[in-house]
mmCIF file of all heavy atoms in Angstrom:
data_model
loop_
_atom_site.group_PDB
_atom_site.id
_atom_site.type_symbol
_atom_site.label_atom_id
_atom_site.label_comp_id
_atom_site.label_asym_id
_atom_site.label_seq_id
_atom_site.Cartn_x
_atom_site.Cartn_y
_atom_site.Cartn_z
ATOM 1 N N GLN A 157 -15.746 15.944 -26.462
ATOM 2 C CA GLN A 157 -14.666 15.320 -25.699
ATOM 3 C C GLN A 157 -15.173 14.128 -24.891
ATOM 4 O O GLN A 157 -14.516 13.081 -24.838
ATOM 5 C CB GLN A 157 -14.018 16.340 -24.767
ATOM 6 C CG GLN A 157 -12.813 15.784 -24.009
ATOM 7 C CD GLN A 157 -12.230 16.779 -23.023
ATOM 8 O OE1 GLN A 157 -12.910 17.715 -22.600
ATOM 9 N NE2 GLN A 157 -10.972 16.582 -22.642
ATOM 10 N N ALA A 158 -16.357 14.270 -24.269
ATOM 11 C CA ALA A 158 -16.905 13.177 -23.467
ATOM 12 C C ALA A 158 -17.191 11.958 -24.348
ATOM 13 O O ALA A 158 -16.879 10.818 -23.967
ATOM 14 C CB ALA A 158 -18.178 13.633 -22.758
ATOM 15 N N LYS A 159 -17.782 12.173 -25.499
ATOM 16 C CA LYS A 159 -18.047 11.058 -26.416
ATOM 17 C C LYS A 159 -16.743 10.399 -26.863
ATOM 18 O O LYS A 159 -16.636 9.172 -26.932
ATOM 19 C CB LYS A 159 -18.821 11.560 -27.639
ATOM 20 C CG LYS A 159 -20.261 11.939 -27.343
ATOM 21 C CD LYS A 159 -20.948 12.419 -28.619
ATOM 22 C CE LYS A 159 -22.403 12.790 -28.378
ATOM 23 N NZ LYS A 159 -23.055 13.277 -29.630
ATOM 24 N N HIS A 160 -15.742 11.239 -27.167
ATOM 25 C CA HIS A 160 -14.442 10.723 -27.606
ATOM 26 C C HIS A 160 -13.806 9.837 -26.532
ATOM 27 O O HIS A 160 -13.303 8.750 -26.831
ATOM 28 C CB HIS A 160 -13.518 11.898 -27.941
ATOM 29 C CG HIS A 160 -12.152 11.493 -28.390
ATOM 30 N ND1 HIS A 160 -11.862 11.159 -29.702
ATOM 31 C CD2 HIS A 160 -10.976 11.351 -27.710
ATOM 32 C CE1 HIS A 160 -10.593 10.845 -29.806
ATOM 33 N NE2 HIS A 160 -10.030 10.956 -28.608
ATOM 34 N N MET A 161 -13.854 10.295 -25.286
ATOM 35 C CA MET A 161 -13.251 9.532 -24.197
ATOM 36 C C MET A 161 -14.004 8.221 -23.952
ATOM 37 O O MET A 161 -13.384 7.173 -23.718
ATOM 38 C CB MET A 161 -13.213 10.372 -22.920
ATOM 39 C CG MET A 161 -12.155 11.452 -22.936
ATOM 40 S SD MET A 161 -10.487 10.734 -23.047
ATOM 41 C CE MET A 161 -9.483 12.218 -23.106
ATOM 42 N N ARG A 162 -15.332 8.256 -23.997
ATOM 43 C CA ARG A 162 -16.107 7.021 -23.795
ATOM 44 C C ARG A 162 -15.814 6.011 -24.893
ATOM 45 O O ARG A 162 -15.718 4.808 -24.645
ATOM 46 C CB ARG A 162 -17.603 7.342 -23.721
ATOM 47 C CG ARG A 162 -18.016 8.072 -22.452
ATOM 48 C CD ARG A 162 -19.515 7.929 -22.190
ATOM 49 N NE ARG A 162 -20.311 8.512 -23.265
ATOM 50 C CZ ARG A 162 -20.747 9.778 -23.292
ATOM 51 N NH1 ARG A 162 -20.436 10.594 -22.289
ATOM 52 N NH2 ARG A 162 -21.484 10.214 -24.301
ATOM 53 N N GLU A 163 -15.653 6.493 -26.120
ATOM 54 C CA GLU A 163 -15.288 5.595 -27.218
ATOM 55 C C GLU A 163 -13.911 4.974 -26.979
ATOM 56 O O GLU A 163 -13.697 3.785 -27.248
ATOM 57 C CB GLU A 163 -15.296 6.367 -28.543
ATOM 58 C CG GLU A 163 -16.676 6.740 -29.047
ATOM 59 C CD GLU A 163 -16.610 7.598 -30.301
ATOM 60 O OE1 GLU A 163 -15.476 7.799 -30.821
ATOM 61 O OE2 GLU A 163 -17.661 8.066 -30.765
ATOM 62 N N ALA A 164 -12.975 5.784 -26.482
ATOM 63 C CA ALA A 164 -11.623 5.274 -26.207
ATOM 64 C C ALA A 164 -11.666 4.207 -25.120
ATOM 65 O O ALA A 164 -11.006 3.166 -25.216
ATOM 66 C CB ALA A 164 -10.708 6.428 -25.806
ATOM 67 N N TYR A 165 -12.443 4.452 -24.063
ATOM 68 C CA TYR A 165 -12.573 3.452 -22.993
ATOM 69 C C TYR A 165 -13.230 2.177 -23.502
ATOM 70 O O TYR A 165 -12.847 1.058 -23.106
ATOM 71 C CB TYR A 165 -13.362 4.031 -21.818
ATOM 72 C CG TYR A 165 -12.508 4.840 -20.861
ATOM 73 C CD1 TYR A 165 -12.603 6.233 -20.824
ATOM 74 C CD2 TYR A 165 -11.606 4.220 -20.008
ATOM 75 C CE1 TYR A 165 -11.832 6.989 -19.942
ATOM 76 C CE2 TYR A 165 -10.821 4.971 -19.125
ATOM 77 C CZ TYR A 165 -10.944 6.344 -19.102
ATOM 78 O OH TYR A 165 -10.169 7.070 -18.234
ATOM 79 N N ASN A 166 -14.215 2.310 -24.359
ATOM 80 C CA ASN A 166 -14.844 1.123 -24.952
ATOM 81 C C ASN A 166 -13.847 0.317 -25.768
ATOM 82 O O ASN A 166 -13.865 -0.920 -25.756
ATOM 83 C CB ASN A 166 -16.028 1.538 -25.840
ATOM 84 C CG ASN A 166 -17.290 1.806 -25.033
ATOM 85 O OD1 ASN A 166 -17.551 1.120 -24.042
ATOM 86 N ND2 ASN A 166 -18.064 2.794 -25.447
ATOM 87 N N GLU A 167 -12.971 1.024 -26.495
ATOM 88 C CA GLU A 167 -11.931 0.349 -27.269
ATOM 89 C C GLU A 167 -11.016 -0.458 -26.354
ATOM 90 O O GLU A 167 -10.669 -1.616 -26.649
ATOM 91 C CB GLU A 167 -11.123 1.383 -28.047
ATOM 92 C CG GLU A 167 -9.894 0.844 -28.769
ATOM 93 C CD GLU A 167 -10.239 -0.030 -29.972
ATOM 94 O OE1 GLU A 167 -11.415 0.011 -30.417
ATOM 95 O OE2 GLU A 167 -9.345 -0.755 -30.442
ATOM 96 N N LEU A 168 -10.627 0.130 -25.233
ATOM 97 C CA LEU A 168 -9.776 -0.584 -24.275
ATOM 98 C C LEU A 168 -10.484 -1.824 -23.736
ATOM 99 O O LEU A 168 -9.879 -2.886 -23.596
ATOM 100 C CB LEU A 168 -9.393 0.335 -23.109
ATOM 101 C CG LEU A 168 -8.519 1.555 -23.413
ATOM 102 C CD1 LEU A 168 -8.238 2.325 -22.129
ATOM 103 C CD2 LEU A 168 -7.210 1.142 -24.065
ATOM 104 N N PHE A 169 -11.760 -1.678 -23.420
ATOM 105 C CA PHE A 169 -12.501 -2.773 -22.796
ATOM 106 C C PHE A 169 -12.697 -3.942 -23.757
ATOM 107 O O PHE A 169 -12.461 -5.101 -23.415
ATOM 108 C CB PHE A 169 -13.860 -2.257 -22.309
ATOM 109 C CG PHE A 169 -14.646 -3.276 -21.525
ATOM 110 C CD1 PHE A 169 -14.468 -3.390 -20.152
ATOM 111 C CD2 PHE A 169 -15.554 -4.109 -22.162
ATOM 112 C CE1 PHE A 169 -15.196 -4.327 -19.429
ATOM 113 C CE2 PHE A 169 -16.279 -5.047 -21.451
ATOM 114 C CZ PHE A 169 -16.100 -5.159 -20.077
#
Side-chain angles (χ1 to χ4, degrees):
Q157 184 184 22
K159 289 180 179 179
H160 179 84
M161 286 297 178
R162 289 200 298 269
E163 288 175 6
Y165 276 107
N166 279 324
E167 173 71 15
L168 295 181
F169 186 88

